[in-house]
Amino acid sequence: MALENSVFPSLPESLSLPVEEKGEGDDVEVAADATGVFNLSEELGQIVTTETPSTPPLLAKVNRSFQAKLAERNAQANEPRKKVVQEKERGRFGWARARRKRQRYVEKNGRCNVSHGNMRETYRYLTDIFTTLVDLNWRSSLFVFVMAYAVTWLFFGAIWYLIAYLRGDLDHLGDETWTPCVHNVNSFISAFLFSIETETTIGYGHRVITDKCPVGTMLLLLQAILGSMVNAFMVGCMFVKISQPNKRAETLVFSKHAVISLRDDKLCLMFRVGDLRSSHIVGANMRAKLIKSKQTQEGEFIPLDQTDISVGFETGDDRLFLVSPLVISHEIDSNSPFWDMSQSQLQKEDFEIVVILEGMVEATGMTCQARSSYLADEVMWGHRFSPMMLLAEGFFDIDYGAFHHTFEVTTPTCSARDISLAAARLDAHLYWSISSRLDEEPTLTNEASRQPDSVSANSKAGEPTFTVGEMTDIQEQTGQGELNGSVATVQSESEA
């Protein structure tokens, strides 16, 4: 058959040959600056050239420093790119309908977006009053702190005034022969001031209790004991609230986006975490959860189902030495919830990835936890994080300006399952192609008993005899040859 004169855009470079210019009278006409590919036609009996784009000249290699390469890569990453406008979902009458944004389970700052309502057993909060006070916001905590002292001062001040009133000290204010319970307590304000001096152990010396009032002595002991308990309780609450380690999590940062790309020929989900302080997190441990609603085979609907995402628990990679920013990687394998997810399917999914970093604060020894989350539209397919570390004179310089920067890389758009199946098919094809070639090799045997005429003819001509697939009695006796693909050569001698 004749070959059609068609253009092959994917023709290898080894088959493309330059065509020289021809003068007038030649059969082939070629443009001055074009290079062509020979295409033969048996019917026309002529050579037709097809124009192909000329290969660009090879650029000379330039020795550049790492800083220059990093600056160029960051400049390329910061260049404005053309936004791809996705087609909006259409409603019933063809009107554009915006896609509903998923409600976050965990905010980007780590706050859990969960509200507890219709709780009837509220008395359980009073059984753990210390934790209840610590969990209050600062406005409520300061109000409780002030009211605890004010109420106790007013309560004991009222009792001191009641004692003075019942004993008649207020009726003998100018009588020097009368011994009151407390000197210079002549009104409620003076009794309130004496209560403050007693509980705070100020002791100005103007108002003093006497030994003629045993009830006042008992009240003085009771107020001193209760005042010490109130001081210990409230100061302890304020100290724990001030030194809470959740404020340490403010300096533990996560990248704004997660990325999916190839790492060591395996599809991986990656995000970046860093510590802004010089004091380190001791025993840092990383965990990740997939929050996604699902329905079981029995029809049960489970909202916000939590699935573990492995970030190196089996190999110990989840235990971090967080001195510099690290890229946490999740290998998408058969046990991963993203095993069947491709790039097109990722844009349609509705899930949330919650990442949790736990560790002990080096300065205080308290356990700290930092959280963040990534929605489906915050996972960038085919991207990789830009490098941040530079080698300076005597130390490593970390550029946190590139902490959230990513750049595009070549990444397959299919799922990890499809990549694994393609690799398995390729391995199977190579295996069976090699084994089939071995099975097709000829085997030389002696066929003198089956074809005496051909053997005598071949023996006269001096040519060997080939037989495929069987083993002769001579090979079994001598132990030479193999079951498949064995070759034996027998050359008969001419009869005398």
Side-chain angles (χ1 to χ4, degrees), residues 424-434:
R425 292 193 194 100
L426 180 60
D427 294 341
H429 175 71
L430 293 176
Y431 173 78
W432 288 109
S433 62
I434 294 175

Side-chain angles (χ1 to χ4, degrees), residues 1-8 11 15 17 19 28 36-50:
M1 292 179 61
L3 298 176
E4 295 182 358
N5 299 329
S6 59
V7 180
F8 298 92
L11 195 64
L15 297 180
L17 302 175
V19 180
V28 181
V37 178
F38 287 109
N39 196 351
L40 301 180
S41 177
E42 297 178 358
E43 295 180 355
L44 299 179
Q46 59 183 359
I47 299 177
V48 180
T49 58
T50 306

Side-chain angles (χ1 to χ4, degrees), residues 258-260 267-271 288-292 307-311 330-343 345-346 349-354 374-376 379 381 414-419:
V259 298
I260 294 180
L267 210 59
C268 296
L269 170 70
M270 293 172 285
F271 58 92
K289 292 281 188 179
L290 176 66
I291 309 297
K292 184 180 179 181
T307 305
D308 283 332
I309 300 177
S310 176
V311 290
H330 162 66
E331 181 180 339
I332 303 179
D333 53 8
S334 58
N335 298 324
S336 173
F338 308 105
W339 176 243
D340 296 322
M341 188 176 298
S342 61
Q343 183 179 8
Q345 188 178 0
L346 175 64
E349 288 290 334
D350 187 13
F351 62 85
E352 182 176 356
I353 302 173
V354 178
Y374 302 98
L375 297 178
V379 179
W381 191 287
C414 58
S415 63
R417 175 191 287 273
D418 296 336
I419 296 176

